[in-house]
Amino acid sequence: MDTLVLAAEATEAGSSGLLANIAILVLAGFVGFAVISKVPNTLHTPLMSGTNAIHGIVLLGGLIVLGSLENPSVGDQIILVVAIAFGMINVVGGFLVTDRMLGMFKGKKGGE
């Protein structure tokens, strides 16, 4: 009987933890939108390219976790591969945007 009570308490704690995590995610989304919407257009591109380049942390973390798991489930592997793919897209995109932005400041050569 005590085992059932402990299992029920663990389930309740897990679901309240999930609810708290979802609430934090939603609030972070609202705060992020409020902050980004206040950024002037002249600063948007440099901030976004820098943020996307920093996203390499997700790429590195996904690679480390994928390499350190002994027996990852198929679900774990799918989530990690998706995280690695999105991280790589953001890193490459961040550097491409930065390169394009810096290209706007280069002078034209030879009357072109």
Side-chain angles (χ1 to χ4, degrees), residues 2 6 13 17 25 32 41 44 49-50 54 56 60 68 72 81 96 101 106 110:
D2 291 333
L6 290 175
L25 178 68
N41 290 337
H44 190 264
S49 64
I54 292 171
L60 182 62
S68 67
V81 167
L96 289 175
M101 178 191 64
K106 292 180 182 175

Side-chain angles (χ1 to χ4, degrees), residues 45 48-56 59 87-103:
T45 302
M48 289 305 295
S49 64
T51 304
N52 288 341
I54 292 171
H55 204 83
L59 175 64
M88 195 66 208
I89 290 169
N90 272 336
V91 168
V92 171
F95 284 117
L96 289 175
V97 167
T98 302
D99 185 54
R100 186 171 179 183
M101 178 191 64
L102 292 175

Side-chain angles (χ1 to χ4, degrees), residues 6-95:
L6 290 175
E9 288 175 1
T11 303
E12 288 176 17
S15 63
S16 66
L18 177 64
L19 185 61
N21 287 338
I22 290 173
I24 290 170
L25 178 68
V26 170
L27 289 174
F30 284 128
V31 169
F33 179 77
V35 169
I36 294 297
S37 64
K38 306 276 189 278
V39 172
N41 290 337
T42 54
L43 291 177
H44 190 264
T45 302
L47 288 175
M48 289 305 295
S49 64
T51 304
N52 288 341
I54 292 171
H55 204 83
I57 295 169
V58 172
L59 175 64
L60 182 62
L63 288 170
I64 290 171
V65 170
L66 187 61
S68 67
L69 292 178
E70 287 186 26
N71 294 322
S73 67
V74 174
D76 290 342
Q77 289 177 350
I78 290 172
I79 290 172
L80 287 168
V81 167
V82 168
I84 291 169
F86 284 168
M88 195 66 208
I89 290 169
N90 272 336
V91 168
V92 171
F95 284 117

